Amino acid sequence: MSTANALTKSTTQQLDRARLWTGLADDILKRDAAKAANSKDAVELWGLLEAYLATYGESGAKVSANTVRSYRRGLDAWLEFANERGINLLRPDRDTGAEYTRWLETKLSPSSVRVRLASVKLLYKALRWSGASDAAPFGDVKPAKDKTAAWDKREPYSHAEVETLLEHAGSVDGALILLCGHAGLRVSEAVALEWQDIDGSTLMVRSGKGGKSRRVNLSQALSEVLQDVPRVDTRLLPFTDTRARERIRNLCERAEVAYKGIHALRHYAGTRLYAETNGLEHVARHLGHSSIETTRVYAKWSDSTLKDTLANW
């Protein structure tokens, strides 16, 4: 099945599931949502949340699989917290939202806290939409600011580390490394690619963040390694993003390279491209950034002027 057909099928299925809630009469919708909340029924509450997301979310029914998974994890985490503390979901106490946020901050990074809060905020939007509750326990809650600079959280693999990984990689893992490290793809984009997306020296990326598409130029090294990848499926890499991360982690262990996550390969692409072109616009276009501000972190990583100057003092 092509990427376009798969996305269409996924969208259709999501809308069908949403209609299980949106098709209800107002009083039935309110009753069923209240019942799910009172029993803390994870399956039913997820159905309600997903229906609201598909109907009223900014992306409509074209929500990425990664976003769906993160919302589901966020819902499960909130329900676990609520069960342990006996929280009434429909009538939470005044400080419940703040207490949950502070609890999350003791366990997760600032970015992960924001993702978890996004899912629970969406749940309460769905509950208010259903008429089951008018509670907004997270309306005035703000997570603590992240004091770590953006570039300090995005350390890329070095050129030597990427070369070492390639030396220990077979054709499939080599393709994965270069799709992320040369083409600058996100892992979700890399595993969604199909052979038909290759057009000469370019690659059509159709599953980017926010459902956007872009055309990416292939490096010579990537073009060469793709020729050695066996065609066992319509997709270039016939495995999931979770498996892709596992393959890179295992490869790092074999190559004795510190594992920095698979996304650090994308950071390597941005950092190297900026160092060789000195053009933020080039990097932004290659990586598919909608804002040039997002791209500025790569200038920070590739700028050795300050370090070199101080070293000579």
Side-chain angles (χ1 to χ4, degrees):
M1 181 183 298
S2 69
T3 303
N5 288 338
L7 289 173
T8 299
K9 181 179 180 181
S10 176
T11 298
T12 300
Q13 292 173 340
Q14 194 173 43
L15 288 173
D16 288 342
R17 292 193 298 271
R19 291 190 188 99
L20 296 176
W21 288 92
T22 60
L24 297 175
D26 289 351
D27 58 332
I28 304 300
L29 173 62
K30 179 179 180 179
R31 182 199 67 189
D32 288 356
K35 180 180 178 182
N38 282 324
S39 61
K40 297 183 178 68
D41 188 323
V43 174
E44 291 298 306
L45 286 174
W46 171 248
L48 176 67
L49 189 155
E50 187 184 32
Y52 183 85
L53 179 63
T55 307
Y56 292 99
E58 292 182 1
S59 299
K62 295 182 179 180
V63 182
S64 72
N66 284 340
T67 298
V68 170
R69 284 194 292 269
S70 68
Y71 278 133
R72 184 58 196 263
R73 287 194 295 267
L75 173 64
D76 290 342
W78 166 240
L79 292 179
E80 181 180 356
F81 180 86
N83 274 318
E84 289 179 353
R85 289 162 174 74
I87 295 171
N88 184 322
L89 296 187
L90 297 179
R91 293 183 297 278
D93 293 338
R94 178 192 61 194
D95 300 320
T96 296
E99 290 172 355
Y100 180 60
T101 303
R102 302 289 88 85
W103 179 78
L104 287 176
E105 290 169 347
T106 66
K107 299 179 176 298
L108 302 173
S109 67
S111 59
S112 296
V113 170
R114 289 193 295 271
V115 172
R116 291 290 172 86
L117 290 181
S119 62
V120 75
K121 287 180 179 180
L122 191 67
L123 171 65
Y124 276 95
K125 286 183 179 180
L127 288 171
R128 294 195 294 274
W129 162 70
S130 72
S133 175
D134 59 0
F138 296 90
D140 296 325
V141 175
K142 294 183 178 180
K145 292 184 177 180
D146 188 355
K147 297 181 180 179
T148 305
W151 53 87
D152 286 337
K153 296 184 295 180
R154 300 188 178 190
E155 181 181 0
Y157 289 101
S158 68
H159 181 67
E161 288 172 332
V162 172
E163 291 300 305
T164 300
L165 291 176
L166 289 172
E167 290 173 1
H168 288 76
S171 59
V172 174
D173 285 341
L176 174 59
I177 290 169
L178 295 180
L179 283 169
C180 298
H182 281 194
L185 271 57
R186 303 173 180 90
V187 62
S188 59
E189 296 171 341
V191 299
L193 286 171
E194 298 187 348
W195 288 105
Q196 66 179 14
D197 295 327
I198 301 176
D199 184 11
S201 61
T202 63
L203 191 67
M204 177 58 72
V205 182
R206 293 190 176 89
S207 56
K209 191 175 182 180
K212 299 176 182 178
S213 298
R214 71 183 188 279
R215 188 169 294 279
V216 176
N217 292 307
L218 300 180
S219 66
Q220 180 178 345
L222 177 54
S223 296
E224 291 175 354
V225 78
L226 287 176
Q227 294 176 15
D228 296 329
V229 176
R231 299 197 179 201
V232 298
D233 197 345
T234 57
R235 294 180 300 156
L236 268 71
L237 306 173
F239 42 76
T240 65
D241 54 354
T242 298
R243 180 58 184 146
R245 292 184 176 90
E246 292 174 353
R247 294 179 75 110
I248 295 299
R249 182 187 292 276
N250 292 337
L251 180 60
C252 283
E253 291 180 359
R254 295 199 306 271
E256 297 183 347
V257 169
Y259 178 67
K260 301 176 183 178
I262 197 168
H263 207 65
L265 289 168
R266 176 172 159 88
H267 298 328
Y268 163 74
T271 302
R272 180 177 176 182
L273 187 58
Y274 179 79
E276 296 183 10
T277 67
N278 199 35
L280 289 175
E281 294 80 6
H282 295 309
V283 180
R285 185 165 62 251
H286 187 65
L287 299 183
H289 288 160
S290 57
S291 171
I292 200 72
E293 292 304 314
T294 306
T295 317
R296 293 190 186 282
V297 294
Y298 299 107
K300 296 290 185 180
W301 273 112
S302 62
D303 185 7
S304 61
T305 303
L306 179 59
K307 179 180 178 181
D308 293 343
T309 298
L310 292 175
N312 293 322
W313 281 17

